[in-house]
Amino acid sequence: MRQALPIVRELLQENFHETGLPGRKLCIHKATYEAISDAGAGFVVVAFDGEKPVGFSSVFLSIHQHTSELCATNDTVFLLAKYRNSSLGGQLIVRSERAAKERGATLFLWQVVVDTPIDRAFASRASAYNLFQKIYLKELK
């Protein structure tokens, strides 16, 4: 993750603008990403068009608290709008799942914003991806 952050920083900003926490500004906590990198608890898959990064998926790895299995959870999956009707999105997903499996993960949890293209893509593949939970966000003031 440490090496990928400078490569995907602009993409991360654009992704956060589209689907980040409502009413919040992106403020990357570099020490967290460094700790995750040092612990081997995450990775990034980057899609390129030539030398230009056009998308990425970042994934966290953790021991699931209820099953003790190594579990992968996406942090972000993003493509520039120009590339969303291509096969790159599917490739990012497959490459992320493959990399998680190579690292020993037995589960992959994809968290997506409701009614976005990626939400609809997973819903259309119900034989491989099952809707499991929804996340409701409440701001605590």
Side-chain angles (χ1 to χ4, degrees):
M1 294 192 121
R2 174 183 284 125
Q3 296 84 358
L5 193 55
I7 297 167
V8 301
R9 186 178 298 275
E10 289 180 29
L11 296 172
L12 185 58
Q13 177 64 51
E14 194 163 334
N15 172 251
F16 197 85
H17 176 72
E18 286 184 19
T19 61
L21 291 172
R24 299 290 194 264
K25 292 181 181 179
L26 178 65
C27 182
I28 296 169
H29 194 259
K30 195 173 178 182
T32 297
Y33 279 93
E34 289 174 355
I36 290 166
S37 292
D38 292 345
F43 60 90
V44 176
V45 176
V46 183
F48 290 91
D49 183 356
E51 298 292 317
K52 177 185 173 188
V54 298
F56 72 103
S57 174
S58 60
V59 178
F60 295 130
L61 299 168
S62 63
I63 301 299
H64 194 279
Q65 68 274 20
H66 298 141
T67 68
S68 299
E69 296 172 272
L70 185 61
C71 181
T73 304
N74 76 300
D75 170 50
T76 302
V77 60
F78 176 76
L79 276 175
L80 292 173
K82 174 181 174 181
Y83 296 89
R84 292 181 188 164
N85 290 324
S86 71
S87 63
L88 282 178
Q91 290 175 29
L92 279 173
I93 291 167
V94 169
R95 288 174 55 203
S96 296
E97 291 171 346
R98 188 174 297 141
K101 185 175 181 178
E102 288 170 359
R103 288 166 170 81
T106 58
L107 299 169
F108 203 119
L109 302 176
W110 287 97
Q111 297 179 20
V112 299
V113 175
V114 173
D115 203 29
T116 57
I118 192 167
D119 178 24
R120 292 187 292 274
F122 282 124
S124 72
R125 293 168 176 83
S127 63
Y129 298 94
N130 297 305
L131 180 60
F132 173 61
Q133 291 182 338
K134 290 185 178 182
I135 297 173
Y136 291 92
L137 176 65
K138 178 183 179 185
E139 186 169 340
L140 303 174
K141 293 184 180 185

